[in-house]
Short mmCIF file of all heavy atoms in Angstrom, two decimals:
data_model
loop_
_atom_site.label_atom_id
_atom_site.label_comp_id
_atom_site.label_asym_id
_atom_site.label_seq_id
_atom_site.Cartn_x
_atom_site.Cartn_y
_atom_site.Cartn_z
N MET Z 208 13.70 -3.54 8.84
CA MET Z 208 13.82 -2.02 8.77
C MET Z 208 12.49 -1.35 9.20
O MET Z 208 12.50 -0.38 9.97
CB MET Z 208 13.91 -1.74 7.22
CG MET Z 208 13.81 -0.21 6.90
SD MET Z 208 14.15 0.09 5.22
CE MET Z 208 12.84 -0.92 4.39
N LEU Z 209 11.35 -1.98 8.80
CA LEU Z 209 9.96 -1.42 9.34
C LEU Z 209 9.39 -2.53 10.13
O LEU Z 209 9.19 -3.58 9.66
CB LEU Z 209 9.22 -0.95 8.07
CG LEU Z 209 7.72 -0.55 8.53
CD1 LEU Z 209 7.75 0.76 9.24
CD2 LEU Z 209 6.97 -0.45 7.29
N GLU Z 210 8.89 -2.15 11.26
CA GLU Z 210 8.04 -3.12 12.00
C GLU Z 210 6.83 -2.31 12.59
O GLU Z 210 7.08 -1.41 13.44
CB GLU Z 210 8.79 -3.71 13.18
CG GLU Z 210 8.13 -4.88 13.87
CD GLU Z 210 9.02 -5.93 14.33
OE1 GLU Z 210 10.25 -5.81 14.08
OE2 GLU Z 210 8.50 -6.79 15.12
N VAL Z 211 5.75 -2.80 12.26
CA VAL Z 211 4.44 -2.22 12.81
C VAL Z 211 3.87 -3.07 13.81
O VAL Z 211 3.69 -4.22 13.56
CB VAL Z 211 3.48 -2.05 11.63
CG1 VAL Z 211 2.10 -1.44 12.05
CG2 VAL Z 211 4.10 -1.06 10.47
N ARG Z 212 3.72 -2.65 14.91
CA ARG Z 212 3.09 -3.47 16.03
C ARG Z 212 1.82 -2.89 16.54
O ARG Z 212 1.77 -1.81 17.05
CB ARG Z 212 4.14 -3.50 17.16
CG ARG Z 212 5.41 -4.14 16.83
CD ARG Z 212 6.27 -4.53 18.10
NE ARG Z 212 7.48 -4.94 17.75
CZ ARG Z 212 8.70 -4.87 18.46
NH1 ARG Z 212 8.60 -4.12 19.64
NH2 ARG Z 212 9.83 -5.31 18.00
N ASN Z 213 0.86 -3.80 16.31
CA ASN Z 213 -0.40 -3.51 17.04
C ASN Z 213 -0.98 -2.13 16.72
O ASN Z 213 -1.49 -1.43 17.67
CB ASN Z 213 -0.36 -3.76 18.46
CG ASN Z 213 -1.71 -4.17 19.06
OD1 ASN Z 213 -2.57 -4.54 18.38
ND2 ASN Z 213 -1.79 -4.20 20.40
N VAL Z 228 -3.02 -3.88 13.69
CA VAL Z 228 -2.13 -4.29 12.53
C VAL Z 228 -0.76 -4.48 12.93
O VAL Z 228 -0.03 -3.72 13.48
CB VAL Z 228 -2.22 -3.27 11.18
CG1 VAL Z 228 -1.20 -3.69 10.22
CG2 VAL Z 228 -3.68 -3.35 10.68
N ASN Z 229 -0.26 -5.75 12.61
CA ASN Z 229 1.13 -6.22 12.79
C ASN Z 229 1.83 -6.48 11.46
O ASN Z 229 1.26 -7.33 10.73
CB ASN Z 229 1.35 -7.34 13.71
CG ASN Z 229 0.90 -7.08 15.17
OD1 ASN Z 229 1.64 -6.37 15.86
ND2 ASN Z 229 -0.24 -7.56 15.56
N LEU Z 230 2.90 -5.76 11.10
CA LEU Z 230 3.48 -6.08 9.80
C LEU Z 230 5.06 -5.88 9.99
O LEU Z 230 5.41 -5.09 10.67
CB LEU Z 230 2.97 -5.06 8.70
CG LEU Z 230 1.56 -5.37 8.19
CD1 LEU Z 230 1.19 -4.22 7.30
CD2 LEU Z 230 1.43 -6.61 7.38
N SER Z 231 5.74 -6.50 9.11
CA SER Z 231 7.10 -6.08 9.11
C SER Z 231 7.79 -6.15 7.75
O SER Z 231 7.25 -6.92 6.77
CB SER Z 231 8.07 -6.96 10.04
OG SER Z 231 8.01 -8.33 9.69
N LEU Z 232 8.90 -5.34 7.42
CA LEU Z 232 9.44 -5.39 6.16
C LEU Z 232 10.88 -5.18 6.27
O LEU Z 232 11.35 -4.31 6.89
CB LEU Z 232 8.81 -4.15 5.43
CG LEU Z 232 9.37 -3.79 4.02
CD1 LEU Z 232 9.12 -4.97 3.12
CD2 LEU Z 232 8.79 -2.52 3.48
N ALA Z 233 11.58 -6.09 5.80
CA ALA Z 233 12.98 -6.15 5.75
C ALA Z 233 13.69 -5.20 4.69
O ALA Z 233 12.99 -4.90 3.74
CB ALA Z 233 13.69 -7.58 5.53
N ALA Z 234 14.75 -4.61 5.03
CA ALA Z 234 15.48 -3.77 4.13
C ALA Z 234 15.54 -4.39 2.61
O ALA Z 234 15.84 -5.53 2.57
CB ALA Z 234 16.95 -3.47 4.55
N ARG Z 236 13.19 -5.24 0.80
CA ARG Z 236 12.05 -6.14 0.37
C ARG Z 236 10.82 -5.40 -0.12
O ARG Z 236 10.75 -4.18 0.12
CB ARG Z 236 11.73 -7.10 1.45
CG ARG Z 236 12.94 -7.93 1.96
CD ARG Z 236 13.50 -8.75 1.03
NE ARG Z 236 12.80 -9.89 0.82
CZ ARG Z 236 12.96 -10.99 -0.07
NH1 ARG Z 236 14.03 -10.98 -0.69
NH2 ARG Z 236 12.10 -11.96 -0.19
N LYS Z 237 9.85 -6.13 -0.65
CA LYS Z 237 8.65 -5.39 -1.11
C LYS Z 237 7.45 -6.10 -0.61
O LYS Z 237 7.18 -7.30 -0.72
CB LYS Z 237 8.58 -5.54 -2.74
CG LYS Z 237 9.92 -5.06 -3.41
CD LYS Z 237 9.79 -5.05 -4.87
CE LYS Z 237 11.09 -4.92 -5.64
NZ LYS Z 237 11.78 -6.10 -5.95
N LEU Z 238 6.66 -5.32 0.08
CA LEU Z 238 5.40 -5.90 0.76
C LEU Z 238 4.18 -5.11 0.02
O LEU Z 238 4.06 -3.82 -0.11
CB LEU Z 238 5.49 -5.28 2.23
CG LEU Z 238 4.21 -5.55 3.03
CD1 LEU Z 238 3.81 -7.02 3.17
CD2 LEU Z 238 4.25 -4.95 4.48
N GLY Z 239 3.33 -5.98 -0.44
CA GLY Z 239 1.97 -5.35 -0.96
C GLY Z 239 0.95 -5.25 0.10
O GLY Z 239 0.84 -6.26 0.82
N ILE Z 240 0.06 -4.33 0.04
CA ILE Z 240 -1.15 -4.23 0.94
C ILE Z 240 -2.30 -4.13 -0.03
O ILE Z 240 -2.43 -3.17 -0.86
CB ILE Z 240 -1.08 -2.95 1.80
CG1 ILE Z 240 0.25 -2.70 2.58
CG2 ILE Z 240 -2.20 -2.87 2.83
CD1 ILE Z 240 0.45 -3.64 3.70
N LEU Z 251 -3.30 3.35 7.15
CA LEU Z 251 -2.11 2.59 7.61
C LEU Z 251 -0.80 3.40 7.10
O LEU Z 251 -0.01 3.67 7.81
CB LEU Z 251 -2.06 1.12 7.10
CG LEU Z 251 -0.88 0.37 7.22
CD1 LEU Z 251 -0.42 0.21 8.62
CD2 LEU Z 251 -0.95 -0.90 6.40
N LEU Z 255 2.11 5.65 9.31
CA LEU Z 255 3.41 5.17 9.40
C LEU Z 255 4.44 6.48 9.54
O LEU Z 255 5.47 6.47 10.18
CB LEU Z 255 3.96 4.47 8.21
CG LEU Z 255 3.25 3.09 7.98
CD1 LEU Z 255 3.83 2.32 6.78
CD2 LEU Z 255 3.25 2.24 9.21
N GLN Z 268 2.88 0.82 17.79
CA GLN Z 268 4.29 1.17 17.53
C GLN Z 268 4.53 1.11 15.93
O GLN Z 268 4.09 0.16 15.33
CB GLN Z 268 5.35 0.34 18.23
CG GLN Z 268 5.41 0.51 19.80
CD GLN Z 268 6.42 -0.29 20.28
OE1 GLN Z 268 6.46 -1.51 20.06
NE2 GLN Z 268 7.26 0.28 21.15
N VAL Z 269 5.31 2.18 15.54
CA VAL Z 269 5.85 2.05 14.04
C VAL Z 269 7.36 2.21 14.36
O VAL Z 269 7.89 3.28 14.37
CB VAL Z 269 5.31 3.14 13.26
CG1 VAL Z 269 5.90 3.10 11.86
CG2 VAL Z 269 3.70 3.04 13.09
N LEU Z 270 7.97 0.99 14.24
CA LEU Z 270 9.44 1.05 14.38
C LEU Z 270 10.20 1.13 13.01
O LEU Z 270 10.07 0.28 12.15
CB LEU Z 270 9.90 -0.18 15.17
CG LEU Z 270 9.33 -0.40 16.55
CD1 LEU Z 270 9.71 -1.81 17.04
CD2 LEU Z 270 9.63 0.75 17.44
N LEU Z 271 10.90 2.17 12.84
CA LEU Z 271 11.72 2.31 11.62
C LEU Z 271 13.09 2.25 12.01
O LEU Z 271 13.56 3.26 12.89
CB LEU Z 271 11.43 3.76 10.92
CG LEU Z 271 11.57 3.87 9.43
CD1 LEU Z 271 10.88 2.90 8.70
CD2 LEU Z 271 11.13 5.32 9.18
N LEU Z 373 13.11 3.57 2.48
CA LEU Z 373 11.67 2.86 2.19
C LEU Z 373 10.78 3.80 1.46
O LEU Z 373 10.62 5.09 1.70
CB LEU Z 373 11.05 2.60 3.60
CG LEU Z 373 9.61 2.30 3.62
CD1 LEU Z 373 9.43 0.96 3.16
CD2 LEU Z 373 9.10 2.29 5.06
N GLY Z 405 13.40 -0.49 0.30
CA GLY Z 405 12.12 -1.16 0.79
C GLY Z 405 10.97 -0.70 0.10
O GLY Z 405 11.06 0.57 -0.12
N LEU Z 406 9.98 -1.50 -0.22
CA LEU Z 406 8.82 -0.89 -0.86
C LEU Z 406 7.63 -1.42 -0.22
O LEU Z 406 7.52 -2.67 0.06
CB LEU Z 406 8.69 -1.24 -2.34
CG LEU Z 406 7.53 -0.90 -3.07
CD1 LEU Z 406 7.37 0.51 -3.36
CD2 LEU Z 406 7.46 -1.57 -4.58
N MET Z 407 6.65 -0.36 0.29
CA MET Z 407 5.41 -0.83 0.69
C MET Z 407 4.36 -0.36 -0.36
O MET Z 407 4.30 0.91 -0.54
CB MET Z 407 4.93 -0.30 1.94
CG MET Z 407 3.58 -0.78 2.46
SD MET Z 407 3.07 -0.03 4.05
CE MET Z 407 3.78 -1.05 5.07
N ASP Z 421 7.21 -9.08 -2.87
CA ASP Z 421 7.66 -10.42 -2.26
C ASP Z 421 6.48 -11.11 -1.37
O ASP Z 421 6.18 -12.28 -1.43
CB ASP Z 421 8.86 -10.27 -1.38
CG ASP Z 421 10.03 -9.65 -1.94
OD1 ASP Z 421 10.37 -9.98 -3.08
OD2 ASP Z 421 10.42 -8.51 -1.61
N ARG Z 422 5.90 -10.24 -0.56
CA ARG Z 422 4.93 -10.52 0.38
C ARG Z 422 3.61 -9.82 0.14
O ARG Z 422 3.69 -8.59 -0.33
CB ARG Z 422 5.35 -10.49 1.83
CG ARG Z 422 6.44 -11.47 2.19
CD ARG Z 422 6.84 -11.54 3.62
NE ARG Z 422 5.88 -12.03 4.50
CZ ARG Z 422 5.65 -13.33 4.74
NH1 ARG Z 422 6.40 -14.23 4.04
NH2 ARG Z 422 4.68 -13.70 5.47
N LEU Z 423 2.61 -10.21 0.68
CA LEU Z 423 1.16 -9.56 0.41
C LEU Z 423 0.42 -9.67 1.74
O LEU Z 423 0.40 -10.75 2.28
CB LEU Z 423 0.61 -10.29 -0.77
CG LEU Z 423 -0.77 -9.91 -1.38
CD1 LEU Z 423 -0.60 -8.40 -1.82
CD2 LEU Z 423 -0.92 -10.62 -2.61
N ALA Z 424 0.00 -8.51 2.13
CA ALA Z 424 -1.05 -8.55 3.23
C ALA Z 424 -2.38 -8.13 2.58
O ALA Z 424 -2.40 -7.02 2.00
CB ALA Z 424 -0.58 -7.67 4.35
N VAL Z 431 -5.53 -6.84 9.11
CA VAL Z 431 -4.96 -7.91 8.03
C VAL Z 431 -5.56 -9.21 8.30
O VAL Z 431 -5.66 -9.70 9.45
CB VAL Z 431 -3.38 -7.91 8.38
CG1 VAL Z 431 -2.81 -8.97 7.40
CG2 VAL Z 431 -2.60 -6.60 8.10
N GLU Z 434 -1.79 -12.89 5.22
CA GLU Z 434 -0.49 -12.42 4.88
C GLU Z 434 0.38 -13.48 4.44
O GLU Z 434 0.30 -14.69 5.12
CB GLU Z 434 0.03 -11.75 6.10
CG GLU Z 434 1.16 -10.66 5.70
CD GLU Z 434 2.51 -10.95 6.61
OE1 GLU Z 434 2.39 -11.48 7.63
OE2 GLU Z 434 3.51 -10.43 6.09
N GLY Z 435 1.28 -13.31 3.53
CA GLY Z 435 2.23 -14.43 3.14
C GLY Z 435 2.92 -14.15 1.81
O GLY Z 435 2.86 -12.99 1.36
N GLY Z 511 5.22 -19.49 6.33
CA GLY Z 511 5.21 -18.04 6.42
C GLY Z 511 4.09 -17.46 6.08
O GLY Z 511 3.85 -16.23 5.76
N ARG Z 513 -0.17 -16.52 7.17
CA ARG Z 513 -1.05 -16.13 8.39
C ARG Z 513 -2.38 -15.88 7.69
O ARG Z 513 -2.53 -15.24 6.79
CB ARG Z 513 -0.65 -15.09 9.18
CG ARG Z 513 0.73 -15.18 9.74
CD ARG Z 513 1.07 -14.06 10.71
NE ARG Z 513 1.12 -12.74 10.09
CZ ARG Z 513 1.05 -11.57 10.60
NH1 ARG Z 513 0.82 -11.53 11.91
NH2 ARG Z 513 1.17 -10.51 9.91
#
Side-chain angles (χ1 to χ4, degrees):
M208 175 175 56
L209 174 69
E210 187 149 354
V211 177
R212 289 193 190 151
N213 208 14
V228 167
N229 291 287
L230 287 170
S231 60
L232 176 63
R236 307 296 287 178
K237 307 183 190 95
L238 170 68
I240 309 283
L251 167 67
L255 299 185
Q268 288 183 310
V269 175
L270 303 175
L271 204 56
L373 169 66
L406 174 67
M407 180 185 275
D421 309 304
R422 292 183 71 80
L423 187 52
V431 173
E434 201 231 339
R513 301 184 293 161

